[in-house]
Amino acid sequence: MSKKNQIVSLVVASFCLLAFPLFAGEGMWLPHLLKALNEEEMHAMGMKINAEDIYSINHGSLKDAIVHFGGGCTGSIISSKGLLLTNHHCGYSFVQSHSTVDNNILKNGFWAQSFEQELSNPGLTATFIREIVDVTDNVLGDIPDSLTSKERQKMILANIAKTKADIRLEPFEKIVIKPFYKGLQYIAFITVTYKDVRLVGVPPESIGKFGGDTDNWAWPRHTGDFSIFRIYVDKDNHPAEYNIDNVPLKPIYHLPVSLDGAAEGDFTLVFGFPGRTNAYLPSIAVKQIIEDFDPAKIAIREQSLGVMKKYMVQSEALKLKYASRFARIANYWKKWIGEREGLIKTDALNHKRALEKRFLDRIDSVAIWKEKYGMVYRAFNDAYTINRDYQLSREIHYEAFAWNSQLMRFMHSIHRLASFERDPNAFNSYKQKIDDRVKGFYDAFDHDIDREIFAKVIAEYFKYMPQHMVSPKMFAKWNELGQSGEKMAAFFYDHSIIADSSAFLRLWKLPKDSLMSALHSDEGFNIINDHISYFYDYIEPGYNDNKLVIDSLQKIYMEGLMTVFPKKRFFPDANSTLRVSYGKVEGYTPNDSTTYTPFTYLNGVIAKYKPGDYEFDLPPKLLELYKNKDYGQYADRKGRLPVCFLGSNHTTGGNSGSPVLDGWGNLIGLNFDRVWEGTMSDYYYDIRLCRNIMVDTRYVLFLIDKLGDCHRLIQEMDLVQPKTENKVKE
Ligand code: ARG
Ligand code: GLU
């Protein structure tokens, strides 16, 4: 049997043996395998359509309405004119870039009342998946088992390149090939990317981000987290760069939009591009996340957030400037706190250990299993132990020197330039390449705030960093300056040319030799330049070598799990490819005395309202609409306006903006978050606690129609009432 057939049959056989009734929840499934793996269960849970309606290469199907939005989020097409729905927080930086203190659309909202008013967004893309093809045979077929990890990796890359070259594509198509099940399977995605994506509408931030970072990752939730864009194309309906003459996309398929919503227990399906999960880690790896990695990252971010917050509440201009950055850093800071708590509270480590014990018990009785998999945990322990300091240092380096200090992040570009010092051609061409970036950086550089952040962050860096992993020069400076974050900040920000905008830009005009000799006579530059080299020469390669070993063990382990537990169903970890998650509308019980129902309503929004508050303010017009109960066709049968709801769909970062569909394939909501107690689901999924949070389509429609008065958008959509038509009782 070929490797591909082996793996598909491992996956399929294991599922067929499963006894009904099933409760889905865990899993992010591949659209082209739904028929074989999931359809029966989906029907049993209430899905009315078929797998072929979700993914087909023969006719338009749901997948033709799903886009990877800006590379990191998901969006869906909701009209025959290329209207695209995604989250508010996914469109955030684009809305921010159109905003000024005088015309602050982030704050006030924006509704284009005609095609002409729709705003272009350079750099923003929307990518569709045309076809999914299993290419495991092409990638793995001729690779002998005897190779080392490095040799294997090299051959895989060569085979991927060859496979790509062999597939015929239209000029506007691309192909991406990615590993699944830890490299047991390889799948190709034929994609089409659109580059003219315009902003059409967005509610005021007070609605789109209602509850801010206080409510983020939490339930009960009352956020109208959506924004609307439109894809434009050339006259042939093909992708094109922005052009005033471009016209709205005529999509292959667009989603009907439901006015009926969903009731508790109803089937739900989330279709999108989940980014990364790690469901098959051994216990030692989870232990490192809980004890080492999460605490260090949380501590560093906490410092920089404190400084940013202090300035953002003081001035609207600074708030606007830091809004997107703050939200990005705060988002994962809070997620890691919840994740760590969740892993501890659910006793994930002991569950993993118990699984490991069962695994070892089972392989004991089969000689060939014992031979193949018997060493796996011991090998994991060695590899993860060796890797610990490398991974910790790597994560801390990124936090302290890339994500939180803007100057230090920028220095990575200058470090790269300096690395070409002995190659004038490469030097000059790279210098030209980053010319705009350098000028842009110093123009926007907020010296004092960044300095204050660095002073705090560098102190945390030294607290958590394994000492032997710090570059010797940086470490010497730290000791020389009495281990003071403030003095380190003074050294780099007050006494070095790197933080002096006008001096640096003056140097920047000099020819290579004068520029480099000036930089080399600056002690601050030399230390940071050396520090970054040390990272790339020592930490990064060490980490990558360990990773190769770990990855090959994870692959053996994945195969072992699938073989040894044939009745268990396994999904491939998320890897930013198109997936289907499904579950039900359901609440949860986070502790012995609290049970949450799965719905929130506009009256809950109003109950949280705090006039003038940073996170819980509301626009007067919404208050007015509430007072008059002016909900139009968007109220439920009891006259309430639904806002958010919960489901047991397995989602992760990247699923933001994913459409949520009912059993008939109509749009009932928009995924945007997970609940606090379930944020550990990237590593450990617990059906009792893991819930995704969605904004109800009816709230979105209400805001477009009644708050934004953007009736033309409502007219463009196909509004449906599936429950009324099918007379389903609520
Ligand atoms: N937690 C959600 C997600 O990971 C929403 C983030 C945006 N909202 C915010 N308040 N920062 O992306
Ligand atoms: N808000 C997340 C995102 O940006 C989705 C929520 C999650 O991580 O589950 O993709």
Side-chain angles (χ1 to χ4, degrees), residues 187-339:
I187 294 177
F189 295 83
I190 317 277
T191 65
V192 180
T193 296
Y194 292 84
K195 295 179 176 166
D196 186 353
V197 183
R198 302 187 195 171
L199 178 64
V200 175
V202 61
E205 186 179 15
S206 55
I207 292 175
K209 203 182 160 181
F210 184 73
D213 294 297
T214 302
D215 272 9
N216 192 19
W217 301 108
W219 184 261
R221 192 63 159 275
H222 298 86
T223 312
D225 196 341
F226 81 97
S227 58
I228 298 198
F229 290 77
R230 190 191 302 281
I231 299 177
Y232 280 77
V233 290
D234 68 15
K235 283 179 215 65
D236 302 319
N237 204 35
H238 289 152
E241 296 294 335
Y242 170 80
N243 187 319
I244 187 92
D245 296 327
N246 285 347
V247 293
L249 168 79
K250 288 195 200 74
I252 299 175
Y253 189 79
H254 63 274
L255 301 175
V257 180
S258 171
L259 285 171
D260 279 348
E264 195 158 354
D266 280 358
F267 174 83
T268 53
L269 182 158
V270 176
F271 211 167
F273 291 86
R276 204 155 68 95
T277 58
N278 237 323
Y280 308 106
L281 291 178
S283 55
I284 176 148
V286 176
K287 187 164 182 277
Q288 291 181 343
I289 292 168
I290 298 174
E291 291 177 3
D292 302 324
F293 307 148
D294 276 354
K297 294 188 294 184
I298 293 165
I300 293 178
R301 288 201 174 190
E302 196 145 305
Q303 296 300 329
S304 86
L305 288 168
V307 176
M308 276 191 269
K309 182 75 176 246
K310 186 173 98 189
Y311 289 99
M312 285 168 73
V313 295
Q314 279 172 17
S315 113
E316 183 153 342
L318 283 178
K319 181 182 172 191
L320 203 49
K321 187 165 174 184
Y322 278 91
S324 188
R325 191 179 160 70
F326 183 91
R328 195 176 62 246
I329 292 177
N331 192 35
Y332 267 71
W333 163 74
K334 196 168 175 188
K335 151 101 193 304
W336 293 324
I337 298 175
E339 170 179 288

Side-chain angles (χ1 to χ4, degrees), residues 72-73 87 89-90 216-217 225 331-332 335 651-657 671-674 681-682 692:
C73 278
N87 284 146
H89 74 265
C90 295
N216 192 19
W217 301 108
D225 196 341
N331 192 35
Y332 267 71
K335 151 101 193 304
T651 54
T652 187
N655 269 125
S656 273
N671 181 70
F672 72 97
D673 212 358
R674 277 175 281 172
S681 63
D682 296 346
N692 66 316

Side-chain angles (χ1 to χ4, degrees), residues 24 43 45 47 92 163 179 201 282 324 412 493 531 538 600 616 656 727:
H43 281 154
M45 290 175 65
M47 184 174 82
Y92 202 82
T163 308
S324 188
H412 285 73
Y493 283 73
H531 183 71
Y538 177 51
T600 60
F616 292 94
S656 273
K727 303 210 171 32

Side-chain angles (χ1 to χ4, degrees), residues 572-593:
D573 266 321
N575 57 359
S576 293
T577 57
L578 185 61
R579 303 294 180 93
V580 169
S581 309
Y582 55 95
K584 296 188 281 207
V585 176
E586 55 181 321
Y588 69 112
T589 302
N591 59 54
D592 59 354
S593 65

Side-chain angles (χ1 to χ4, degrees), residues 513-569:
D513 289 347
S514 336
L515 168 61
M516 287 315 297
S517 83
L519 285 178
H520 284 310
S521 63
D522 184 287
E523 198 194 350
F525 170 78
N526 286 329
I527 291 179
I528 184 65
N529 193 41
D530 175 76
H531 183 71
I532 297 172
S533 294
Y534 191 80
F535 177 75
Y536 286 126
D537 294 346
Y538 177 51
I539 297 179
E540 193 74 344
Y543 170 80
N544 287 335
D545 285 351
N546 296 335
K547 222 19 208 130
L548 267 183
V549 176
I550 287 174
D551 288 349
S552 69
L553 287 172
Q554 290 282 174
K555 173 168 169 273
I556 295 171
Y557 187 39
M558 188 82 242
E559 186 190 280
L561 287 170
M562 290 166 117
T563 311
V564 172
F565 298 113
K567 289 191 185 163
K568 195 169 155 41
R569 183 174 48 167

Side-chain angles (χ1 to χ4, degrees), residues 60-71:
S61 56
L62 291 175
K63 77 118 170 62
D64 296 306
I66 317 299
V67 295
H68 209 176
F69 180 85

